[in-house]
């Protein structure tokens, strides 16, 4: 890769948007590869009885022309969901019947947010909902005082509760209720940040080499499962597991799956460590077994267009399509989980 290649990619990102740049990177060589983390290959007792999806349907269509590129999903009681909209800088609620309500729209920062890391445009990304019903979301603007974790107050006016450095690109937001903290992936810096739920100063929880980018986005999606923090690395096409130590710190990352280039968000099905993963680059939803093997469950023929996020609730699977890389119809889709 020539020295000016990253600059050209960043300029293209401002035009293509958060997801579109994956196409440009698909043929780019990895840059400055990080040291190889420890890999593990556990046996999956359920591999021959894997999850399948049925009754796939579109629950809501979004306005691509208005920048409603669906990015993330937070579940609410009663079947509604909260979604972050990248380019529109919005947080929206989709009711169980598909009705759409805009909860907040973030203002453009001074200068338009062209200094936003990697993509060159301000974005709303991850969303999360606490047990008491508070809705939080991430805003990346390239400016201090705006970039960080925001809370959507009952008045509808968002407030910044955890500022993050201007050079971060906060992407996934998880509430670790057991330890009363937020966890945030930083796709630009290849890190996971932590901050108290009460708000205040953030600190780096993990900067493991397995999280680092290789030209575009490193750490992306994230979940807490079975005593560990799990995260995806979009550039490297991996899912990694980072053990949580007794004092709440981070252990060394283990690679649990590879060959998933362009992976975005994911969720666990409830069957041990079986995962459903959104593959943004190739517009797929895949099943990843505990031994790292993966197979496609939904693709473009099923309506996948730049698949960005997935959440599982019981036998319901919610999937967002950003349609920023393929197609022009961003959607929220719903499917039924069927275990064989």
């Amino acid at each position: 890769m020539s020295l000016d290649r990253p600059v050209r990619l960043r300029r293209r990102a401002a035009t293509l948007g958060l997801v579109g740049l994956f196409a440009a990177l698909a043929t780019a060589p990895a840059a400055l590869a990080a040291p190889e983390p420890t890999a593990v290959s556990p046996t999956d007792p359920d591999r021959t009885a894997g999850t399948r999806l049925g009754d796939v349907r579109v629950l809501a269509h979004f306005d691509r022309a208005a920048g409603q590129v669906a990015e993330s999903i937070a579940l609410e009681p009663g079947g509604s969901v909260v979604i972050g909209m990248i380019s529109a800088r919005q947080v929206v609620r989709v009711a169980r019947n598909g009705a759409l309500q805009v909860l907040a729209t973030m203002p453009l920062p001074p200068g338009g947010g062209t200094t936003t890391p990697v993509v060159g445009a301000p974005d709303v990304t991850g969303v999360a909902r606490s047990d008491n019903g508070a809705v939080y979301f991430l805003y990346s603007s390239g400016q201090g005082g705006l970039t960080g974790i925001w809370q959507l107050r009952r008045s509808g006016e968002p407030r910044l509760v955890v500022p993050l450095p201007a050079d971060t690109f906060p992407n996934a937001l998880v509430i670790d209720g057991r330890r009363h903290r937020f966890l945030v992936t930083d796709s630009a810096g290849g890190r996971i940040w932590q901050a108290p739920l009460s708000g205040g100063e953030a600190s780096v929880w993990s900067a493991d080499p397995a999280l680092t980018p290789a030209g575009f986005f490193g750490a992306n999606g994230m979940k807490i499962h079975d005593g560990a923090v799990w995260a995806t690395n979009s550039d490297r096409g991996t899912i990694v597991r980072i053990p949580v130590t007794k004092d709440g710190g981070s252990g060394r990352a283990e690679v649990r799956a590879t060959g998933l280039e362009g992976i975005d968000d994911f969720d666990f099905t409830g069957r041990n460590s079986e995962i459903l993963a959104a593959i943004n680059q190739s517009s797929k939803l895949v099943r990843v077994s505990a031994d790292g093997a993966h197979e496609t469950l939904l693709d473009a023929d099923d309506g996948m267009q730049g698949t960005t996020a997935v959440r599982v609730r019981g036998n319901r699977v919610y999937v967002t399509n950003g349609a920023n890389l393929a197609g022009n119809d961003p959607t929220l889709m719903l499917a039924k989980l069927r275990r064989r």
Side-chain angles (χ1 to χ4, degrees), residues 8-98:
R8 296 202 306 271
L9 290 176
R10 284 172 174 80
R11 287 174 180 168
R12 292 190 65 191
T15 301
L16 296 176
L18 176 63
V19 179
L21 193 57
F22 280 123
L25 288 163
T27 58
L32 301 176
E36 286 294 327
T38 303
V40 295
S41 299
T43 302
D44 180 7
D46 300 310
R47 184 169 174 182
T48 60
T51 291
R52 291 294 180 267
L53 299 178
D55 299 332
V56 182
R57 63 186 177 92
V58 174
L59 186 61
H61 294 269
F62 306 121
D63 188 349
R64 179 66 183 83
Q68 289 187 334
V69 178
E71 156 66 12
S72 52
I73 307 168
L75 302 176
E76 294 191 307
S80 62
V81 299
V82 174
I83 295 174
M85 296 290 187
I86 299 173
S87 305
R89 310 181 312 281
Q90 291 178 340
V91 180
V92 307
R93 174 177 287 122
V94 178
R96 187 165 184 164
N97 63 1

Side-chain angles (χ1 to χ4, degrees), residues 185-201:
T185 56
D186 173 8
S187 295
R191 299 167 289 191
I192 296 175
W193 293 79
Q194 64 178 351
L197 283 182
S198 56
E201 185 176 353

Side-chain angles (χ1 to χ4, degrees), residues 79-315:
S80 62
V81 299
V82 174
I83 295 174
M85 296 290 187
I86 299 173
S87 305
R89 310 181 312 281
Q90 291 178 340
V91 180
V92 307
R93 174 177 287 122
V94 178
R96 187 165 184 164
N97 63 1
L100 179 69
Q101 175 190 7
V102 176
L103 302 178
T105 301
M106 295 298 289
L108 278 170
T114 56
T115 58
T116 302
V118 186
V119 299
D123 296 304
V124 166
T125 51
V127 292
R129 183 184 184 278
S130 69
D131 290 340
N132 65 8
V135 174
Y136 300 90
F137 63 94
L138 299 172
Y139 188 41
S140 181
S141 68
Q143 297 186 19
L146 285 175
T147 298
I149 304 173
W150 291 73
Q151 181 183 8
L152 185 63
R153 294 185 289 190
R154 294 185 183 277
S155 64
E157 186 71 20
R159 72 180 182 99
L160 182 64
V161 294
V162 177
L164 289 169
D167 63 352
T168 62
F169 191 96
N171 203 329
L173 175 62
V174 167
I175 295 176
D176 182 358
R178 180 179 177 185
R179 293 178 175 84
H180 308 286
R181 65 183 176 184
F182 296 106
L183 293 173
V184 178
T185 56
D186 173 8
S187 295
R191 299 167 289 191
I192 296 175
W193 293 79
Q194 64 178 351
L197 283 182
S198 56
E201 185 176 353
S203 61
V204 174
W205 180 75
S206 176
D208 192 284
L211 303 173
T212 59
F216 184 48
F217 269 6
N220 195 328
M222 178 173 54
K223 295 293 184 293
I224 297 174
H225 175 73
D226 191 26
V229 172
W230 298 60
T232 62
N233 187 317
S234 295
D235 281 354
R236 303 181 189 280
T238 55
I239 300 174
V240 301
R241 178 184 184 272
I242 305 176
V244 178
T245 61
K246 290 182 179 180
D247 62 356
S250 59
R252 186 182 180 190
E254 306 165 328
V255 175
R256 302 305 291 261
T258 61
L260 299 165
E261 288 76 15
I263 188 172
D264 201 322
D265 184 39
F266 67 100
D267 202 2
F268 293 91
T269 66
R271 184 196 294 272
N272 299 321
S273 293
E274 182 186 64
I275 285 172
L276 297 182
I279 312 299
N280 199 320
Q281 182 170 320
S282 54
S283 299
K284 294 178 180 179
L285 186 74
V286 304
R287 171 187 177 267
V288 183
S289 61
D291 65 357
H294 44 87
E295 61 176 327
T296 299
L297 299 184
L298 300 175
D299 58 20
D301 291 339
D302 303 293
M304 300 291 103
Q305 294 186 13
T307 314
T308 52
V310 56
R311 289 300 307 270
V312 178
R313 170 188 273 157
N315 69 341

